[in-house]
Amino acid sequence: MLLITTVAYSKEAPLVSIASHDSFFSSIAKHCGKAYQGKVTVDNSQSDSFANKTLVMHVRKCSDSQLQIPFHVGTDSSRTWIITKTGSGLSLKHDHRHKDGSYDESTMYGGHTVDAGWPQAQSFPADQYSKELFIAQGIPQSVGNTWQMFIYPDKFTYRLVRQGREFRVDFDLTKPIEVPEAPWGY
């Protein structure tokens, strides 16, 4: 009697990516575990939310497909930027939490790359979830948001642009600082 057995192999689908996205992602990941101080270099709003506050980015958690980067504004540790490889580009989400760790009503907004960008720069126009969130929250001007991130050997930049609005923070990558406490909810 002939006994035939079959062996089933199960592989996950590969996470595909392109060179410019990989290079950008890897350049940030090289800073994993380090924190850097920044300063507002452009802000054409009337808000003083960031004025006279210590600004710190901390490349806190890194995997092959995701980077978690808390952005501390003074004693406010509510913000974490999450960059994720999606298989069709890169996603940027803003995870906002309250001090008790609960989610802010304005959380996980962001965007997705729509082109190759560059190894040093990527743009994330607002995604549909974010647009609907902004409308529901009564801030329709934010529907046109595009977030940009730039990574160079000596500087990391976070920038928000939309019609009539520009905000930019530059971080000095040549001078690591003491790592802050975990962001709220982490």
Side-chain angles (χ1 to χ4, degrees):
M1 171 187 266
L2 180 64
L3 181 61
I4 299 175
T5 59
T6 59
V7 178
Y9 294 97
S10 177
K11 282 184 156 181
E12 288 188 28
L15 182 62
V16 296
S17 193
I18 61 174
S20 57
H21 292 160
D22 288 341
S23 181
F24 175 81
F25 190 94
S26 294
S27 291
I28 296 171
K30 287 177 188 172
H31 296 275
C32 202
K34 296 179 183 170
Y36 303 94
Q37 189 164 342
K39 64 180 178 178
V40 174
T41 53
V42 177
D43 188 357
N44 67 353
S45 77
Q46 302 302 317
S47 172
D48 63 352
S49 299
F50 295 87
N52 303 315
K53 295 187 174 122
T54 301
L55 307 177
V56 174
M57 69 172 275
H58 174 202
V59 186
R60 183 171 184 268
K61 187 173 180 185
C62 307
S63 74
D64 290 342
S65 61
Q66 189 176 88
L67 305 172
Q68 295 179 4
I69 308 167
F71 174 40
H72 302 270
V73 179
T75 60
D76 181 340
S77 297
S78 64
R79 301 166 179 86
T80 299
W81 302 319
I82 301 173
I83 302 170
T84 306
K85 289 184 177 184
T86 66
S88 60
L90 298 172
S91 166
L92 168 66
K93 290 294 186 172
H94 296 75
D95 183 353
H96 283 246
R97 309 274 183 113
H98 295 287
K99 200 168 192 170
D100 66 1
S102 63
Y103 291 107
D104 189 274
E105 71 175 302
S106 179
T107 193
M108 299 313 286
Y109 62 85
H112 197 282
T113 56
V114 294
D115 58 24
W118 292 271
Q120 304 84 7
Q122 293 294 326
S123 293
F124 305 89
D127 59 25
Q128 192 60 36
Y129 168 81
S130 303
K131 292 176 182 181
E132 291 181 23
L133 178 67
F134 297 147
I135 294 292
Q137 292 180 336
I139 49 172
Q141 65 274 19
S142 295
V143 167
N145 282 3
T146 296
W147 297 272
Q148 297 173 325
M149 290 182 163
F150 304 84
I151 180 82
Y152 293 97
D154 62 340
K155 181 171 58 174
F156 176 87
T157 297
Y158 170 88
R159 180 176 184 234
L160 163 67
V161 291
R162 66 171 176 256
Q163 186 174 0
R165 177 78 169 107
E166 182 178 3
F167 174 77
R168 176 177 164 168
V169 180
D170 292 323
F171 297 87
D172 183 350
L173 299 181
T174 66
K175 300 176 185 167
I177 62 171
E178 184 176 331
V179 172
E181 291 186 18
W184 298 344
Y186 280 80

